[in-house]
Each structure stands twice: as C-alpha cells, then as structure tokens.
Amino acid sequence: GDKPATVLPRVIAVPWHAVAKKVGRPPIQSYVSYAIDNWYRIDKSKDITLDNIALIQNFLAGVDEEWFTMVHVVMEAQAGPALAGAYDACVAANEQDWETVKNCLFKIAASLGQLYQTFCRMEEKCDPYIYYNRVRPYIFGTLNNPNLPDGLIYEGVEEYRGLPQKFRGETGAQSAIIPALDGALGIHHKGKIGKKKEDDVLKTYLMEMREYMPPKHRAFIEWCEEGLAVCRAPDL
C-alpha cells in the first residue's frame, strides 16, 4: 500500500528479534544487511568492481537501486587497505615508529582516493529522483518516519511489552570506515560554537549509528580511538 503497516506480525517479529539479538544489532534493516552482506562476485577470479558484482536481494530490481548499493559495496572493499593502514599506524605510533606511521598515512590516502573516485560515480546509473521516491521508502526506518509517527509494534516480542519501537533506517552512516579512521587519526567531532560537545546533534547521531554496526566493527572503532591516545605522534 501507500503507507506502511504499524504492526509487524508475530511470525516475522519474533524470529527477527531473536536473530537481531544474536548478531548484536536492532531488528531493523541496516547497512550491513542491505549492502555489506548482500552481494556476490560474478567472476570469483576477478576483483570486487562495479562491473563484477551484483546484489543478492533487492526491492525493485531496478538499475538505480542496484547501482546505489553496489557503489557502497565497492567503497567498502576499497577501504580495506585504509583500515589496515589505520591499524598498523596505531601499533607503530605506540612503538614511536614514526616512519611506519608516515607510510601508513600514505596508504590510507591512496585507499581513500580510490574510494572517492567510486563515490563520484553514484549518479552514473542512480538518478536522485528515482532513488529518493522509489528506493528510499523501502530503506526508511521507523524513527522520524512521517508515515510511522508512533513507531512499529513488534507483535509477540516480550522484551518490547507491546510498545511500538523506533529504529533508524539503513544508511551509509552505519559504515565503520570513517569512524574508524577518525579514531585512528585522532579526529574528534566537537560541539558547535556556544554548545557543549555532548549536545552536538551530528555527533549524537553518529554515535547512535554504531548501535547498528556489527559488534566487531564497533570494537574496532573503539580500539582505533584508544590506539593513538596512548602515544601521540609528533608532526610528520
């Protein structure tokens, strides 16, 4: 229909909640479900590229939705060297091995350069109008959703006691790439001028996004945030 249902039937809600508890995420479609765990390589002997992957499951089966998600998948793959470099940089910094730290920063920069080039290709096959009006409604959450002002009832889930729940929808902000690099590089999101850091809306939102990440992703971000705190590098 034109509007979403306000109650998720017991037959779906109970097992979904149980699985969500096991994987450490809320029972809502997340970035990791829709992108990171939702693709396959067409030719397994070749790299993860936009012309060598496809989605396992989508909603409309249109090229706009397929392309939108595949761009994110390729970006995640291209970020691998950057995250590995962040890890090595943290270890090297704590050992005061500044030459290795510098080399790791070059690796991070090169990796992000590739990622950015892929990101710039988004509008090649994903029209903003099609995405917003046809794709986005399927990945919108139950929090701040004008069509679900009171949230969604998960029928039969004892933990929720029959009360409607509100969760964020799928978004690239649930990726661990940037938060991990921010942590490794010592970048802190501070509050706006005249406001306390903890009152900043953007930082609050970004911290909330971690709840939708796999536990090990969250753990890596936290490790990166603590890794360079032990020993700060001098100017390189």
Side-chain angles (χ1 to χ4, degrees), residues 5-14 16-17 27 152-156:
T6 58
V7 177
L8 192 64
R10 180 191 305 265
V11 69
I12 299 175
V14 173
W16 193 0
H17 176 264
L152 179 67
I153 294 176
Y154 287 72
E155 187 179 60

Side-chain angles (χ1 to χ4, degrees), residues 189-191 195-201 203-204:
H189 291 272
K190 297 182 179 180
K195 296 179 66 177
K196 294 181 180 179
K197 181 170 63 175
E198 58 267 27
D199 293 334
D200 182 64
V201 175
K203 181 177 180 181
T204 299

Side-chain angles (χ1 to χ4, degrees), residues 21-89:
K21 294 283 284 188
K22 285 183 177 294
V23 299
R25 305 198 303 271
I28 192 78
Q29 179 179 243
S30 64
Y31 177 74
V32 90
S33 302
Y34 189 58
I36 297 179
D37 290 340
N38 188 30
W39 62 278
Y40 65 93
R41 199 177 334 208
I42 298 172
D43 186 338
K44 295 183 179 180
S45 67
K46 296 182 180 180
D47 293 335
I48 300 173
T49 59
L50 287 169
D51 59 356
N52 192 42
I53 64 171
L55 294 193
I56 296 173
Q57 180 67 50
N58 51 29
F59 291 102
L60 300 178
V63 65
D64 297 86
E65 179 187 5
E66 187 96 358
W67 187 260
F68 172 78
T69 308
M70 291 195 310
V71 165
H72 285 83
V73 171
V74 173
M75 288 169 61
E76 291 286 335
Q78 291 173 328
L83 296 175
Y87 174 86
D88 292 339

Side-chain angles (χ1 to χ4, degrees), residues 1-235:
D2 294 331
K3 292 186 178 181
T6 58
V7 177
L8 192 64
R10 180 191 305 265
V11 69
I12 299 175
V14 173
W16 193 0
H17 176 264
V19 170
K21 294 283 284 188
K22 285 183 177 294
V23 299
R25 305 198 303 271
I28 192 78
Q29 179 179 243
S30 64
Y31 177 74
V32 90
S33 302
Y34 189 58
I36 297 179
D37 290 340
N38 188 30
W39 62 278
Y40 65 93
R41 199 177 334 208
I42 298 172
D43 186 338
K44 295 183 179 180
S45 67
K46 296 182 180 180
D47 293 335
I48 300 173
T49 59
L50 287 169
D51 59 356
N52 192 42
I53 64 171
L55 294 193
I56 296 173
Q57 180 67 50
N58 51 29
F59 291 102
L60 300 178
V63 65
D64 297 86
E65 179 187 5
E66 187 96 358
W67 187 260
F68 172 78
T69 308
M70 291 195 310
V71 165
H72 285 83
V73 171
V74 173
M75 288 169 61
E76 291 286 335
Q78 291 173 328
L83 296 175
Y87 174 86
D88 292 339
C90 288
V91 173
N94 288 324
E95 296 175 352
Q96 299 189 35
D97 181 358
W98 310 125
E99 185 63 26
T100 296
V101 170
K102 182 176 68 175
N103 291 334
C104 288
L105 293 178
F106 281 118
K107 292 179 181 178
I108 292 173
S111 176
L112 291 182
Q114 288 186 320
L115 186 152
Y116 176 71
Q117 291 300 318
T118 298
F119 181 68
C120 288
R121 297 185 61 186
M122 179 63 79
E123 291 191 32
E124 283 185 20
K125 297 182 181 181
C126 181
D127 182 89
Y129 177 86
I130 298 297
Y131 165 75
Y132 187 78
N133 290 281
R134 299 184 187 178
V135 179
R136 185 62 188 169
Y138 287 99
I139 57 179
F140 209 78
T142 56
L143 176 63
N144 295 333
N145 187 335
N147 290 319
L148 288 171
D150 299 321
L152 179 67
I153 294 176
Y154 287 72
E155 187 179 60
V157 177
E158 295 182 3
E159 181 180 330
Y160 297 152
R161 304 187 302 279
L163 300 175
Q165 303 299 305
K166 296 181 180 182
F167 299 114
R168 297 284 185 184
E170 185 274 342
T171 168
Q174 294 167 1
S175 168
I177 297 172
I178 300 302
L181 293 177
D182 279 351
L185 298 174
I187 298 172
H188 301 284
H189 291 272
K190 297 182 179 180
K192 298 178 182 178
I193 297 176
K195 296 179 66 177
K196 294 181 180 179
K197 181 170 63 175
E198 58 267 27
D199 293 334
D200 182 64
V201 175
L202 177 58
K203 181 177 180 181
T204 299
Y205 174 79
L206 292 176
M207 293 301 293
E208 184 182 346
M209 289 300 96
R210 298 187 186 189
E211 299 174 12
Y212 297 83
M213 300 177 186
K216 289 186 177 180
H217 289 204
R218 296 197 297 266
F220 181 68
I221 293 172
E222 294 168 358
W223 182 87
C224 287
E225 290 175 337
E226 297 173 359
L228 282 179
V230 178
C231 181
R232 294 287 177 182
D235 294 334

